[in-house]
Amino acid sequence: MGRWTAKQIGYMKEALRLARQGWGLVSPNPMVGAVLVKRNQILAKSWHTGPGQPHAEASVLTEVGQKASGAELYVNLEPCSHYGRTGPCAELIVKSGVKKVYYSVPDPNPTAAGGAVALEEAGVEVDRGLLADEAWELNQFFFKFVQTKKPFVIVKTASSLDGKIATSSGESRWISSKASRNYTHHIRTGVDALLIGRGTAEKDDPELSARPWGRRKMHRQPWRIVLDPLLRLSMTLKLFDPNLGGPTVVICSPKADQSAKENLRRRGHAVWEIPLNEKGLIPLGAAIDEIGKAGLQSVLIEPGATVASEALLSDEPVADLIHMFLAPKFLGGKDAPSLLGGQGLPKLDLAKNLEILKIGRMGPDIHLVLRPKGAFSASAAEAMPPITGYGYWDEDLDEMYAPQPQDN
Ligand SMILES: NC(=O)c1ccc[n+]([C@@H]2O[C@H](COP(=O)([O-])OP(=O)(O)OC[C@H]3O[C@@H](n4cnc5c(N)ncnc54)[C@H](OP(=O)(O)O)[C@@H]3O)[C@@H](O)[C@H]2O)c1
């Protein structure tokens, strides 16, 4: 038995469930939910709905006014103590007369931290650590970015059971099921950027947009980023459609044709220049650093075979988390492309082990969630436990992603 009661755990679970409603809406802020309880009754509950909007704690306190006196507040992140676009929550809590605050994890953002100390100094009881693992996982994009200034990197792949991403004649749409593709859109909805290589842009001509599934909403499209070292992509591709909204960023070599760079910029796209590595490719680590410098906290890479081998097999793999969708079918063919291209590893002991976080189903497909060794783990930072899951998954969505009759 831990030191919390089932009721207390239940209230924090509810705060986390509410927080998850902010998926796709709150970046660059964290997802936060709050539940206000008095005499075992929930007085109010709320969640942060986006930048500039009231914090979850402020919403519940405003809703109940003086009734907050003597209540207990459950919130998945330490209440802030700073004046940002909204006032400090710690101060509001003290004024409200709340007697005790349960929070899951401390705020790693140096400008907002210190709320717990401020509360304690004002005589409010504070209890930290309730459902901490879930709370770290939920906001891992935010925590990684605050600590490292680099985005959290997710790599998603879809293949047949024998690892093929297309047939020998090049057919690739669709290997994975509708449910898996919908889930990919769920991830796209919550990340700040989507990244592909030139090969995928050319062969698939994707729009590279997030199309939220079901009742989900989002406040902006993720940035579209494409690696095109010599700027050989055609401007007629959907990626460059001015009606898509939001920027398309093309990452190229400084040696790319000057007039092609100017042409892109004239059309409103961004061009980032990064010197090529010895393989003649954009070094992915440098590309990820640039994405962080642009203030983007998370990026989903949807790689073709070449980008996948750079992201997952190179000396400096960039992935923090890998989602693999395996369709229960074989495609075979020595000429059919596989998930990972490039030279491959010459020796078995060079292969890096992956930690399996989930083996499950997505509609008719197998869904694996993996974490490479050495990927971002909050344990590197003081007092933070390792992140062992991928907390942005909402149990409520299980039903939504359940196998549908049309999935095959
Ligand atoms: N099943 C899946 O999950 C999935 C997902 C996406 C794509 N695909 C399939 O993958 C195929 C495309 O794969 P692909 O290997 O031809 O192309 P790709 O991996 O999408 O793009 C590779 C190209 O990107 C450029 N690039 C620049 N920096 C790079 C870096 N660090 N690492 C890798 N590439 C870099 C290079 O362009 P230059 O040649 O100009 O140097 C390279 O040739 C398509 O058929 C698509 O349908 C499958």
Side-chain angles (χ1 to χ4, degrees), residues 156-159 165-166 170 172 175 196-201 203-204 227-230 232 277 280-284 302-308 310 337 339:
K156 165 256 153 186
T157 66
S159 70
I165 58 172
S172 63
I175 289 178
I196 57 169
R198 187 181 67 83
T200 301
K203 286 184 197 132
D204 295 353
L227 306 172
D228 182 13
L230 296 178
R232 289 188 280 175
N277 60 19
L281 299 171
I282 308 283
L284 271 187
E302 300 194 38
T306 319
V307 173
E310 287 300 300
L339 272 178

Side-chain angles (χ1 to χ4, degrees), residues 315-387:
D315 294 342
E316 287 182 73
V318 295
D320 292 304
L321 203 63
I322 305 164
H323 283 271
M324 291 185 76
F325 299 101
L326 294 167
K329 51 185 113 171
F330 297 117
L331 291 179
K334 67 178 167 38
D335 296 328
S338 300
L339 272 178
L340 298 180
Q343 293 293 310
L345 298 176
K347 287 187 151 299
L348 264 181
D349 59 9
L350 292 176
K352 297 193 173 83
N353 280 332
L354 303 166
E355 186 186 349
I356 300 173
L357 303 181
K358 175 193 170 187
I359 305 175
R361 289 187 64 145
M362 191 54 63
D365 297 338
I366 297 165
H367 181 207
L368 293 178
V369 185
L370 307 152
R371 186 175 55 203
K373 288 257 157 69
F376 171 75
S377 157
S379 61
E382 202 186 293
M384 291 190 182
I387 285 173

